[in-house]
Amino acid sequence: MDKFYAGSIFEIEDKRYETKKLVVLVRSIITKEHFYLISFSSFEPWSEKVVTIDNKFERAWITLDEVKYLAETDYIRYVGDVNSYKEGIASVIKENKPKVA
């Protein structure tokens, strides 16, 4: 696979903790397109690195090398995309829905 779109999930190496983590590719568009990774477990930015495309809507994807740059590691394994897991994620949330006071 040479193109990765928003919602792509990757397993990457977390060098700080010497473990593997899941991250999701995110795209935001304001005046330019910005791609970055967020942690699957906390939804916080994975790093401060961003890939920016000057013309918005020019390109809705990034390359594997750009994902490696964002992840700050060469160990990248494509797991799938959020859309393919959405039903499973939704059912887990429904089953484990916390009670609100």
Side-chain angles (χ1 to χ4, degrees):
M1 191 169 200
D2 340 350
K3 297 178 182 179
F4 299 97
Y5 298 86
S8 294
I9 303 171
F10 302 93
E11 179 184 71
I12 65 171
E13 181 181 34
D14 184 344
K15 293 179 182 178
R16 292 171 292 208
Y17 299 107
E18 297 180 358
T19 186
K20 294 184 176 43
K21 301 282 179 137
L22 292 177
V23 294
V24 179
L25 181 63
V26 176
R27 178 177 75 147
S28 65
I29 303 170
I30 301 173
T31 57
K32 299 178 181 183
E33 286 187 84
H34 305 282
F35 292 89
Y36 53 96
L37 296 175
I38 61 170
S39 167
F40 194 80
S41 59
S42 68
F43 295 106
E44 295 177 316
W46 179 255
S47 74
E48 304 225 351
K49 294 192 176 195
V50 176
V51 170
T52 300
I53 311 298
D54 286 332
N55 289 337
K56 64 181 182 179
F57 307 117
E58 176 182 311
R59 179 174 81 146
W61 50 268
I62 63 174
T63 66
L64 180 59
D65 286 337
E66 290 168 324
V67 174
K68 288 179 180 180
Y69 165 78
L70 294 175
E72 300 178 317
T73 182
D74 283 336
Y75 176 83
I76 301 272
R77 186 172 70 87
Y78 176 73
V79 176
D81 64 82
V82 172
N83 196 40
S84 63
Y85 292 106
K86 71 180 180 183
E87 289 179 19
I89 294 169
S91 69
V92 167
I93 291 169
K94 287 177 185 174
E95 290 173 13
N96 297 305
K97 184 177 178 183
K99 294 181 181 178
V100 180

